[in-house]
């Protein structure tokens, strides 16, 4: 691996699947990268609905959902790892404790450089259930993970396009339009991306 590829950091970026990527979960997917270090990467697919809506998910964990804006929102398939576990991608909510540094309001929260947070603890769901919690939120079952060097290898194989993440694609764009909207961030449309790999 060259030093250039070793230093790449795609945290707070989108991975946009190229047409040649035919894996069931990742085909035509957009992945929001929550963390990318030399040890590997972690992200959430933001455009693959699971067969469950938010209201039903909250029912499964014995919580009401007093947020009418979320009731019919789809829960997404975040990736193939820990598919029985919920991951909540949301705008940051900071707790200010006196003179202490600002900390996330929830336990088990990963602060993503660039502005978002990803929380795995039930307390964020409990806040949403009472009508509180973050206003902008996306919930997935499962996440996507790459081991050391794995994502860099896939990038080298032209499996993914990358672009700086845009929160409006995550929170304001209908699920079925997110792939095209992410491509548009690069000035591309899906018909422009060939399924054929060119050879010199």
């Amino acid at each position: 691996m060259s030093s250039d590829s070793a230093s790449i950091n795609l945290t707070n970026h989108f991975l946009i699947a190229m047409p040649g990527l035919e894996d069931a979960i990742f085909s035509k997917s957009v992945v929001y990268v929550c963390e990318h270090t030399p040890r590997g990467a972690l992200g959430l697919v933001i455009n693959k609905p699971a067969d469950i809506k938010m209201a039903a998910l909250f029912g499964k964990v014995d919580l009401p959902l007093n947020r009418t804006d979320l009731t019919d929102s789809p829960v997404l398939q975040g990736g193939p790892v820990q598919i029985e576990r919920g991951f909540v991608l949301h705008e940051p909510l900071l707790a200010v404790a006196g003179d202490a540094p600002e900390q996330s309001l929830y336990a088990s929260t990963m602060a993503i450089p660039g502005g978002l947070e990803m929380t795995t603890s039930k307390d964020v769901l409990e806040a949403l259930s009472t009508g509180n919690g973050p206003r902008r939120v996306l919930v997935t079952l499962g996440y996507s993970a790459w081991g050391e060097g794995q994502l860099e290898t896939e990038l080298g194989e032209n499996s993914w396009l990358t672009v700086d993440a845009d929160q409006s694609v995550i929170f304001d764009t209908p699920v079925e339009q997110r792939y095209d909207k992410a491509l548009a961030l690069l000035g591309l449309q899906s018909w422009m991306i060939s399924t054929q790999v060119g050879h010199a």
Side-chain angles (χ1 to χ4, degrees):
M1 190 177 354
S2 73
S3 60
D4 287 348
S5 61
S7 63
I8 189 172
N9 183 348
L10 294 174
T11 302
N12 195 39
H13 281 64
F14 289 145
L15 302 176
I16 306 167
M18 289 288 280
L21 190 57
E22 295 176 350
D23 176 274
I25 290 179
F26 293 118
S27 173
K28 286 203 80 172
S29 69
V30 180
V31 180
Y32 177 74
V33 180
C34 301
E35 182 178 56
H36 186 199
T37 72
R39 296 186 307 277
L42 179 154
L44 301 173
V45 178
I46 64 164
N47 68 326
K48 297 282 180 127
D51 294 327
I52 186 171
K53 298 278 198 244
M54 290 277 271
L57 176 69
F58 274 71
K60 283 182 176 288
V61 293
D62 298 321
L63 289 172
L65 178 55
N66 294 309
R67 284 275 300 268
T68 54
D69 58 316
L70 297 177
T71 306
D72 291 325
S73 296
V75 175
L76 301 174
Q77 301 174 40
V81 184
Q82 292 191 5
I83 57 173
E84 72 294 333
R85 190 167 178 199
F87 296 82
V88 183
L89 187 64
H90 58 87
E91 61 189 359
L93 290 179
L94 299 173
V96 182
D99 296 328
E102 293 183 335
Q103 300 178 17
S104 173
L105 213 49
Y106 306 114
S108 306
T109 293
M110 172 191 293
I112 301 158
L116 295 180
E117 294 183 346
M118 193 264 285
T119 300
T120 56
S121 56
K122 193 176 178 183
D123 53 356
V124 68
L125 297 180
E126 289 168 346
L128 291 169
S129 78
T130 65
N132 297 311
R135 188 180 63 83
R136 292 153 68 87
V137 61
L138 176 144
V139 177
T140 74
L141 293 174
Y143 68 94
S144 305
W146 291 262
E148 182 178 347
Q150 185 181 3
L151 180 55
E152 289 79 0
T153 298
E154 292 181 12
L155 291 167
E157 294 167 347
N158 293 322
S159 295
W160 303 98
L161 294 169
T162 64
V163 67
D164 288 339
D166 182 333
Q167 294 184 22
S168 69
V169 175
I170 299 172
F171 297 120
D172 303 326
T173 304
V175 172
E176 66 277 5
Q177 295 175 22
R178 289 176 187 167
Y179 184 80
D180 289 335
K181 285 277 191 184
L183 279 176
L185 295 173
L186 291 166
L188 297 173
Q189 296 178 30
S190 52
W191 61 266
M192 298 175 175
I193 311 172
S194 170
T195 56
Q196 305 299 313
V197 176
H199 295 282

